[in-house]
Amino acid sequence: MKYFFLSLIALSVLVVGVFGFRGDKFSSPPLWVFPDMDEQDKVKAQTASPFFEDGIGARKPVLGTVPRGAEPGVMPIEFGTGRSGYYFDGAVEGTYGNGLPEELGIKTEADMTGLLGRGEDVYNVHCAICHGKSGNGMGVVATYLAKSDPIIAVPTLLDKTRDKFPDGYIYNVITNGKGNMGGYGHNVLVRDRWAIVSYLRALQAAAK
Ligand code: HEC
């Protein structure tokens, strides 16, 4: 028992010695045994930040962000919902148009390479599962579909008819779907749809 009290006293002295009394003022920062989340790397509102190239701490929402609690059907402009004009619906004066819309801002070869690269990425994410990486209609899903339901066939995109589809038509198929294919307008941005169209043209040219 004697040793218990002795060690209790020793421990109290030690604790008070190290941590001091509550409310004491120190000239150096206190010991931080559990820092919890007192210190965080973060940008305070309306301040500059060297982390970003332009030095602005307050960032804009990521492209294509849908506001939380938005009314159903309200989509950001990047998805083109409810907008018209060749860029948004692929149509010129009631028929499907051809060529890349001006809004893409393709002026140099580097711009085009960028668009095609993007097109390749997005095509491989959204289309290749069915139409195949090369566009031959033999993606993973198509292979299984052929076994379970031979009536719904995934077509090749490289044949002579589909070669001749106007760009605006392909854009429209991506946006709204066609027959057994669902539309991708709700999750592929307008710009990315055009990138896919360009990439598909490259695939068709490569298949010749
Ligand atoms: C889930 C499988 C699937 C995915 C994913 C898919 N497609 Fe399709 N696609 C189909 C099927 C099935 C058809 C045939 C539709 C029909 O005629 O009933 C088709 C048809 C097409 C056609 C031809 C339309 C016509 O008039 O002959 C084009 C062009 C096309 N798809 C492009 C795309 C592009 C570009 C993507 C990526 C954004 C894509 N598809 C994603 C299944 C798919």
Side-chain angles (χ1 to χ4, degrees):
M1 208 57 189
K2 191 169 84 187
Y3 290 111
F4 172 75
F5 282 116
L6 277 179
S7 35
L8 188 69
I9 290 166
L11 190 70
S12 316
V13 169
L14 190 73
V15 168
V16 173
V18 172
F19 294 103
F21 292 113
R22 245 190 110 83
D24 266 6
K25 293 216 165 68
F26 297 86
S27 52
S28 50
L31 259 186
W32 229 349
V33 184
F34 301 110
D36 293 327
M37 294 174 80
D38 293 350
E39 290 285 340
Q40 299 170 41
D41 285 334
K42 66 173 177 238
V43 182
K44 296 228 167 92
Q46 309 296 332
T47 55
S49 166
F51 183 81
F52 299 104
E53 218 170 60
D54 57 9
I56 299 172
R59 310 306 297 173
K60 287 189 178 151
V62 174
L63 195 72
T65 303
V66 181
R68 199 169 172 182
E71 301 263 312
V74 174
M75 292 290 267
I77 186 169
E78 292 84 10
F79 286 98
T81 314
R83 316 226 165 213
S84 53
Y86 183 50
Y87 180 58
F88 291 111
D89 56 21
V92 181
E93 289 167 12
T95 53
Y96 292 114
N98 238 327
L100 290 179
E102 255 171 49
E103 285 86 341
L104 293 173
I106 305 298
K107 297 206 175 66
T108 63
E109 209 162 295
D111 292 343
M112 195 59 212
T113 316
L115 188 76
L116 284 174
R118 177 68 189 166
E120 179 177 8
D121 288 349
V122 198
Y123 177 90
N124 284 337
V125 168
H126 293 284
C127 322
I129 43 161
C130 286
H131 291 286
K133 273 205 156 186
S134 68
N136 63 2
M138 302 210 279
V140 190
V141 173
T143 316
Y144 283 97
L145 209 59
K147 284 184 194 144
S148 64
D149 192 348
I151 296 166
I152 310 173
V154 176
T156 169
L157 302 176
L158 309 173
D159 63 357
K160 285 212 178 66
T161 21
R162 296 192 175 86
D163 225 13
K164 296 200 175 59
F165 284 158
D167 294 337
Y169 176 75
I170 297 177
Y171 173 89
N172 184 62
V173 172
I174 301 173
T175 308
N176 302 311
K178 196 219 156 202
N180 286 319
M181 175 185 150
Y184 285 80
H186 57 281
N187 57 359
V188 178
L189 304 176
V190 172
R191 193 185 165 81
D192 287 348
R193 287 174 229 163
W194 286 108
I196 295 177
V197 172
S198 313
Y199 181 64
L200 196 55
R201 290 310 187 202
L203 287 180
Q204 289 170 339
K208 276 186 189 149

